[in-house]
Structures are given as structure tokens and as C-alpha cells.
Amino acid sequence: MSNSKSTTLENKFKGSIIAVSVIIPIAVAVLFSVKLKDFGFDIEPLSFLPPIYAGINALTALLLVMAVIAIKKGNRKAHERLMTTAIACSVMFLVMYVAYHMTADSAKFGDVNFDGNLDDAEKAAVGSVRYFYYFILLTHIMLSVIIIPMVLFTYVRALAEQFDKHKKIAKITFPIWLYVAVTGVVVYLMISPYYAN
């Protein structure tokens, strides 16, 4: 593919990537605050979803590592398939995450009696681990917003066969995306004892 055609392909998708990168976090934030029961829907909380979407995060992390190994071995086709699957997993995670939060109240770290409030005894019981949890959670959320355009630009550059540019951005995209996937699992493992049954 010629350089001008490659540049045209990236420019063709640039507006869409920026739009998607803005719309997704806003839509997730809005939908996160929407509870279907408030609109008269009598739907049970989809409480089976958190371990599934945590598993999808773990699978995404594994796919990312496998994709890097594949490309280091020169297997471009396997790398492409693994990365495409990792993107599909991230989309599945997002859909399940929003679906769960539209049907269930958010769990609070340390809320052992599941009343939605942390009293002094509950705060004391979890101690400084609470701050570690919130650090992991906040960095996970912030980087999950930042990673959207990075993944999309990295992917489009590969499609456009701009491999030098692809490799350059992939070196930044990979560790951030891996961090988001792994911390998604860590957040689930830490908050899961506080999910109301």
C-alpha cells in the first residue's frame, strides 16, 4: 500500500475514532447512572455478569501477551487475529459492564452489611487497603478512557500497513491496555466480597 493511500486511510477514520473515543465514555457514564428499575422495568440484577466480564478482562490480557509473542516471532497473521479478538473482548466487557450496572446498585468496597453506606467500623475493618483499591480503580477508569483512541489508531495504522507508525504507538498502547485488562481483574477480585446477593 502506498504511503499516500495509507495516510488517506488513517485520515478517513480519524474523525470516527475521535467521535467514538468521546461518545463511549460519555455513554458509559450516562448509562452507569441509569437504573432500569427507575423506569418501571421489573428486572433482576444481572449478578452473574461480574465474574464473566472479569474473566473477559483476564482473557484480554492473555490475548495481548500472546499477540506480542506472535509478532516477535514474525507471525503477523496470528498477531492480527489475536489483536482483533482482544478488541472484540473489550467490546463484550463494555456491554456486560453497562448491562450489570443498569440492573444493579454499585457495590462499595468494605460494605460488609450491603446497605450501601460505609460506617466507621467498616472503614476501620478494611483500613488502608481501601486506598489501594481506589487507586487501582481510578487508574483503571482513567486509562480505560485514554486507551480507546490509542487502540483504534494503533489498529488502523496496522490496517493501513503503516507498520513503522503502528509499532511506535503500539509500544505505548500495549502496556496501558494490559494494565487496564489486569486491573479490571484486580478490581473485581477486591470488590467481589461486597456484592449483595
Side-chain angles (χ1 to χ4, degrees):
M1 191 178 286
S2 73
N3 193 43
S4 61
K5 284 183 180 176
S6 298
T7 304
T8 303
L9 185 62
E10 185 175 346
N11 288 339
K12 179 182 175 183
F13 287 104
K14 188 175 185 177
S16 299
I17 290 171
I18 292 168
V20 165
S21 300
V22 171
I23 291 167
I24 288 176
I26 291 171
V28 169
V30 169
L31 293 173
F32 191 86
S33 64
V34 169
K35 300 293 181 225
L36 293 178
K37 65 184 177 186
D38 295 340
F39 294 91
F41 291 97
D42 187 24
I43 186 167
E44 289 294 314
L46 301 175
S47 55
F48 63 91
L49 285 179
I52 295 172
Y53 61 67
I56 288 173
N57 266 328
L59 177 60
T60 301
L62 180 63
L63 290 167
L64 292 173
V65 171
M66 289 170 61
V68 168
I69 292 169
I71 200 64
K72 284 184 185 280
K73 289 183 175 179
N75 192 339
R76 189 180 289 175
K77 270 290 173 205
H79 175 76
E80 183 183 326
R81 283 194 298 268
L82 289 162
M83 293 309 297
T84 302
T85 306
I87 291 171
C89 284
S90 292
V91 171
M92 284 191 297
F93 163 82
L94 193 60
V95 169
M96 289 184 198
Y97 180 80
V98 169
Y100 171 75
H101 284 284
M102 288 180 74
T103 62
D105 294 324
S106 294
K108 290 194 176 175
F109 187 77
D111 184 18
V112 292
N113 62 5
F114 313 113
D115 68 353
N117 296 306
L118 285 180
D119 60 32
D120 291 338
E122 288 172 322
K123 287 179 185 175
V126 291
S128 60
V129 175
R130 198 163 132 254
Y131 299 109
F132 175 73
Y133 169 77
Y134 283 116
F135 173 79
I136 296 293
L137 178 64
L138 290 174
T139 55
H140 171 80
I141 291 168
M142 289 187 299
L143 291 174
S144 69
V145 171
I146 292 167
I147 200 64
I148 297 168
M150 293 182 75
V151 167
L152 296 175
F153 276 116
T154 304
Y155 194 72
V156 166
R157 286 178 182 178
L159 289 178
E161 296 180 7
Q162 294 179 301
F163 296 119
D164 286 343
K165 284 177 138 185
H166 168 78
K167 189 175 180 180
K168 191 174 181 179
I169 193 172
K171 286 182 177 180
I172 302 165
T173 303
F174 169 73
I176 296 173
W177 194 0
L178 185 62
Y179 179 86
V180 169
V182 170
T183 54
V185 178
V186 173
V187 166
Y188 166 73
L189 292 173
M190 292 186 77
I191 196 68
S192 60
Y194 308 109
Y195 282 125
N197 297 323

